[in-house]
């Protein structure tokens, strides 16, 4: 593949990054931004875990603790996981479907550059009089109506982050639907692209709903409306319905691209085609559809009519079927393969394993009468960290190690990669597994201080958190090392790799496919 | 799957199941170490625990089977052992089977869940009603039939929270006035809130419901054994969300009746004393207590203010006209955590705390506010 001659016609230095419309540059920007935010959110989690090291108040006061819990969640969801996967999509979708770039390059630039401003706004909120948002990332009114100007900063930031995701999604849909190489039918498309195509539709359908809820909250706070104020004829529960109509699809926005990553990595290292490709596609679509009709399982305790609770219980339980299909398919892909366990494969297997635990606790949470006990306890905290870290973050590290040699042209240090994986795996489980027990035994979430019987497991959890965050330094080290140099990567990188991205040189040319490749 | 694989696999499975059953037998031991639910003391609590154990068991079994297969594959099908990859990439029959079987398992879980939910939902034929109201950051309990009403606030001393003294056994799970319930009676709880959303939860009772301002939720419980059961607010409700515990004291009907009568007498006595003229010392002493339980959470134990909440020392309100001070204490400030305390505190409490605030923390107005002034301001 020849490098196109007009490659060098872009500005250099800071202007290159500010004005770039290149999918790889923008993908890099997204990833750098995301991992920076992960560091910020990770430090906040250490503030939380330090306070929870023992009963009593030692490190923070309750008000600041609540701000940390709130901003940690917003940063990790909107600042880390979502942009990171958009970064992966930017890098990989054009290369996987045989396109030169994304369909809408200028929009691409804009959708990224909204992010740093939104993040700055969110961080500044912590320095406002009265502090940052402290009512939880779910910003339930009336509590969120009480917050100071910091809450407004956060609300505006959520608006901007949402806008960025919508623009990014439009671009991904336009790219996948219009830019595939001849012969690349939808049903031949790599699962990562399928995961993202469906995710992009979820984003477009759910983000505006969040924007609506946030806007109503802003007008309730400042313009005398009473959408969520019972005293003025409004309904505080309405907010929760609207919020979770966004919030539940959001969970799948975070994990469907991750499922796509697992479906790329596992066949590569099992040296065997993905089992049940067609059922994978349908299972993904079914999960996406179901994700829109289960939202109220986040709010069983608000006092819904029994008919409603039964409906949401049954619908939620149904999600276990397509999710199960995916897990069975991954296991079957591995079955009688010829497996090796390079770092990306470790992340994929570890991710499926962790995610499955989160899936099972999710099924338990779906059972309404049992949920009355689990709801708003550490059991829920354990559950969603298993889902989001196992599903999304493990997949993210898997994806980065899988494609890093392609991006940089250099192999990363495999030994460090494995250390990073194992320390994270141990640290993660040490942090979050005991939280299941804490929740079952009766520890509510979002408290800065707790009764004495919860001390021991909280200490395990705190040790685990420091180990997990500390282990990430290894990642930054070997990722940067691979950017600087090292063993040259081949075009194919992995023995079992299949797909168009591996036909390009490592690193690939600035404009990925200037001549559409032939797809068999 | 070849025959030898199958044998190896079933052998491994039976060993895992053995381990699992051992784990389940020792379940009761685990309970003491806080690995599972607190011991339930209501019929609903028992039903929910059984349901929880059932779905947990199903999940653990499926998990072991699926990941047993995966780990066997990881063990056996590796390149380093010279294993050659097979070529298959789908199997329609298998795919139908693993869609249908999970569905059937889900149905088997849904049936007992539905039955339990129906039972929990039936609040009819109750013997007693208790109205629960969440406040930032305390609970109010009303017994309309007994004409009893009181607030319940955290009893753990501030010094324990700030690590100045050793923490007691029931640290953060103790209150000044517990909810008293008669055993063996179906109690209907009516749950609401005054300011933001809270959630009333006592794990041993097996019930949790959000307390939502402007809405009324219902739930019920019949406590089987006398005893003290502790819980906490479960829905984030602001700064002191972690400091609004719930203590339920279950007693015999006889003791309950005695307790209810005593509460009424106490309320009557408080009412009577409000009419008299109080000395400044009396007001200051009472005001100090009211301040500690009601105001200190936000305005600071020494009137220094906490985070966004204003300090008392030199405050324009606490050193300005008495009428303005009374007004904000009684009517609150909308859109903030400052509530209308007229509905929560009696005349003597308000008079005392306003007097206290005007003559403490460096404030020296010398004003003495009498309960009669508060009454007139209502
Ligand atoms: Cu509360």
């Amino acid at each position: 593949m020849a490098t196109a001659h007009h490659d060098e016609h872009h500005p250099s230095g800071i202007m290159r990054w500010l004005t770039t419309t290149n999918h790889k540059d923008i993908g890099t920007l997204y990833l750098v931004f995301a991992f920076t935010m992960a560091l910020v959110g990770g430090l906040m989690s250490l503030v939380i875990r330090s306070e929870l090291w023992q009963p009593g108040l030692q490190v923070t006061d309750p008000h600041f603790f609540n701000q940390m819990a709130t901003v940690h969640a917003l940063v990790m969801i909107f600042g880390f996981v979502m942009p990171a996967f958009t970064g992966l999509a930017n890098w990989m979708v054009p290369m996987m479907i045989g396109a030169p770039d994304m369909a809408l390059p200028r929009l691409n630039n804009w959708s990224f550059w909204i992010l740093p401003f939104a993040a700055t706004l969110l961080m500044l909120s912590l320095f406002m009089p009265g502090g940052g948002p402290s009512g939880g990332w779910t910003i339930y009114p009336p509590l969120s109506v009480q917050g100071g100007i910091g809450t407004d900063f956060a609300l505006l930031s959520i608006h901007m982050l949402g806008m960025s995701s919508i623009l990014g999604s439009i671009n991904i849909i336009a790219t996948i639907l219009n830019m595939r190489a001849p012969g690349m039918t939808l049903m031949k498309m790599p699962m990562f692209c399928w995961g993202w195509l469906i995710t992009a539709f979820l984003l477009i359908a759910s983000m505006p709903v969040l924007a609506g809820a946030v806007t109503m909250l802003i007008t309730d706070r400042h313009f005398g409306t009473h959408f969520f104020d019972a005293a003025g004829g409004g309904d505080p529960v309405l907010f929760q319905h609207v919020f979770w109509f966004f919030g539940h699809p959001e969970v799948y926005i975070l994990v469907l691209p991750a499922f796509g990553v697992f479906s790329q990595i596992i066949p590569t290292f099992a040296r065997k085609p993905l089992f049940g490709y067609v059922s994978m596609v349908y299972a993904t679509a079914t999960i996406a559809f179901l994700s829109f009709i289960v939202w109220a399982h986040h709010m069983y305790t608000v006092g819904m009519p029994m008919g409603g609770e039964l409906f949401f219980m049954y619908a939620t339980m149904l999600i276990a079927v397509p999710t199960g299909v995916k897990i069975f398919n991954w296991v079957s892909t591995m079955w009688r393969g010829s497996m090796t366990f390079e770092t990306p494969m470790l992340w994929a297997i570890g991710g499926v394993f962790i995610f499955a635990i989160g899936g099972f606790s999710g099924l338990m949470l779906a059972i309404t009468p049992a949920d009355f006990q689990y709801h708003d306890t550490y059991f829920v905290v354990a559950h969603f960290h298993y889902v989001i870290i196992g599903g999304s973050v493990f997949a993210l590290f898997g994806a980065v190690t899988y494609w890093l040699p392609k991006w940089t042209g250099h192999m990363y240090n495999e030994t460090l990669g494995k250390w990073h994986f194992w320390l994270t795996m141990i640290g993660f489980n040490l942090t979050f597994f005991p939280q299941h027990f804490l929740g079952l035994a009766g520890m509510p979430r979002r408290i800065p201080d707790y009764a004495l019987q919860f001390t021991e497991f909280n200490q395990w959890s705190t040790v685990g958190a420091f180990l997990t965050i500390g282990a990430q330094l290894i990642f930054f080290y070997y990722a940067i090392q691979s950017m600087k140099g090292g063993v040259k990567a081949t075009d194919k990188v992995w023995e079992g790799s299949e797909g168009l991205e591996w036909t390009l040189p490592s690193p690939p040319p600035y404009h990925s496919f200037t001549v559409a490749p032939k797809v068999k | 799957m070849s025959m030898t694989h199958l044998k190896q696999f079933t052998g491994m499975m039976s060993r895992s199941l053995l381990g699992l059953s051992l784990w389940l037998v020792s379940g009761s031991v685990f309970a003491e170490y806080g690995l599972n639910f607190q011991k339930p003391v209501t019929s609903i609590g028992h039903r929910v625990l059984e349901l929880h154990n059932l779905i947990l068991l199903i999940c653990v079994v499926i998990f072991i089977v699926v990941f047993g297969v995966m780990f066997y594959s990881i063990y056996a099908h590796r390149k380093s052992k010279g294993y050659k990859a097979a070529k298959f990439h789908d199997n329609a029959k298998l795919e139908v089977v693993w869609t249908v079987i999970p569905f059937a398992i889900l149905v088997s879980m849904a049936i007992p869940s539905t039955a339990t939910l129906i039972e929990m939902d039936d609040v009819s034929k109750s013997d007693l009603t208790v109205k629960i109201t969440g406040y930032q950051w305390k609970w109010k309990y009303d017994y309309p039939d007994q004409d009893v009403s009181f607030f319940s606030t955290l009893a753990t001393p501030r010094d324990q929270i700030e690590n100045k003294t050793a923490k007691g056994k029931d640290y953060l799970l103790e209150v000044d006035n517990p909810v008293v319930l008669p055993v063996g009676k179906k109690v209907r709880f009516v749950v609401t809130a005054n300011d933001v959303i809270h959630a009333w939860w006592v794990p041993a009772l097996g019930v949790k419901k959000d307390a939502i301002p402007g809405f009324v939720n219902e739930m019920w419980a019949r406590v089987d054994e006398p005893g003290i059961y502790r819980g906490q607010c479960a829905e984030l409700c602001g700064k002191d969300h972690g400091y609004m515990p719930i203590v339920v004291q279950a007693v015999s009907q006889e003791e309950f009746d005695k307790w209810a009568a005593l509460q009424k007498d106490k309320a009557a006595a408080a009412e009577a004393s409000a009419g008299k003229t109080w000395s400044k010392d009396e007001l200051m002493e009472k005001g100090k207590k009211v301040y500690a339980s009601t105001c200190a959470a936000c305005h600071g134990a020494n009137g220094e203010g906490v985070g966004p909440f204003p300090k008392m020392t030199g405050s324009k309100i606490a050193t300005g006209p008495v009428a303005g001070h009374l007004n904000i204490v009684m009517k609150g400030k909308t859109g903030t955590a400052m509530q209308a305390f007229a509905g929560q505190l009696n005349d003597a409490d308000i008079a005392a705390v306003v007097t206290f605030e005007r003559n403490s923390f460096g404030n020296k107005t010398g004003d003495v506010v009498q309960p009669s002034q508060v009454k007139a301001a209502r």
Side-chain angles (χ1 to χ4, degrees), chain B residues 198 233 235 237 241 244:
Chain B
H198 305 263
C233 176
E235 177 68 52
C237 56
H241 164 56
M244 52 183 291

Side-chain angles (χ1 to χ4, degrees), chain A residues 11-68:
Chain A
S12 56
I14 183 82
M15 283 315 282
R16 166 182 173 186
W17 298 104
L18 279 172
T19 61
T20 183
T21 53
N22 177 276
H23 76 100
K24 297 191 192 75
D25 285 354
I26 294 173
T28 305
L29 285 172
Y30 266 109
L31 288 167
V32 168
F33 171 82
F35 283 107
T36 312
M37 293 306 277
L39 218 52
V40 173
L43 290 176
M44 288 176 179
S45 75
L46 292 185
V47 174
I48 294 169
R49 285 312 327 164
S50 303
E51 180 54 62
L52 294 174
W53 166 250
Q54 53 182 343
L57 291 174
Q58 292 86 16
V59 180
T60 62
D61 63 80
H63 184 58
F64 189 68
F65 181 91
N66 288 346
Q67 294 172 47
M68 285 293 105

Side-chain angles (χ1 to χ4, degrees), chain A residues 156-170:
Chain A
L156 197 57
S157 167
I158 292 173
H159 260 319
M160 291 166 68
L161 294 162
M163 207 185 303
S164 160
S165 318
I166 292 171
L167 298 178
S169 302
I170 291 172

Side-chain angles (χ1 to χ4, degrees), chain A residues 314 336 339 374-375 441 449, chain B residues 38 52 77 79 114 171 208:
Chain A
Y314 299 150
R336 295 182 55 207
M339 278 186 276
Y374 312 140
H375 181 76
D449 195 358
Chain B
Q38 296 173 21
H52 160 75
H77 307 146
K79 195 186 172 203
T114 306
Y171 177 69
K208 179 190 290 150

